Amino acid sequence: MIANHLARALLTAIGTLAESVESGWDTERTGLNTLEGIAYLLGQMNSDERQEFRDLLEQVAAAEPERAEFIHGLPGALGLDGAS
């Protein structure tokens, strides 16, 4: 279920960012590690879940046109364009 993948990815981001603030970590390394963790977790989605994720991103992009270009680029940036 896509909600499980999204929740785990969100928890990874929140947990890492919260810990980095508390610990004073190198923000560049922390950001890169967080993105890699999110990409790994979302990469576990099957092809139907990836399509559902892309559909959700389309809805968000339509509602937030100022960020639409960034949103449209996320699947590729996270390595989710290929088959699972």
Side-chain angles (χ1 to χ4, degrees), residues 32-79:
L32 182 58
N33 289 343
T34 301
L35 289 171
E36 288 174 347
I38 291 168
Y40 170 77
L41 290 168
L42 294 180
Q44 295 177 357
M45 292 186 292
N46 64 38
S47 60
D48 289 340
E49 292 168 330
R50 288 178 187 211
Q51 184 58 52
E52 185 178 353
F53 179 65
R54 286 189 291 272
D55 293 345
L56 287 170
L57 290 179
E58 272 302 317
Q59 292 173 20
V60 173
E64 300 184 30
E66 67 281 358
R67 297 192 319 159
E69 185 177 342
F70 169 75
I71 294 167
H72 287 134
L74 280 175
L78 295 170

Side-chain angles (χ1 to χ4, degrees), residues 2-26:
I2 189 173
N4 184 31
H5 296 287
L6 294 176
R8 290 174 55 212
L10 180 60
L11 289 170
T12 295
I14 292 169
T16 303
L17 294 174
E19 194 172 334
S20 72
V21 168
E22 293 171 5
S23 302
W25 289 348
D26 172 10

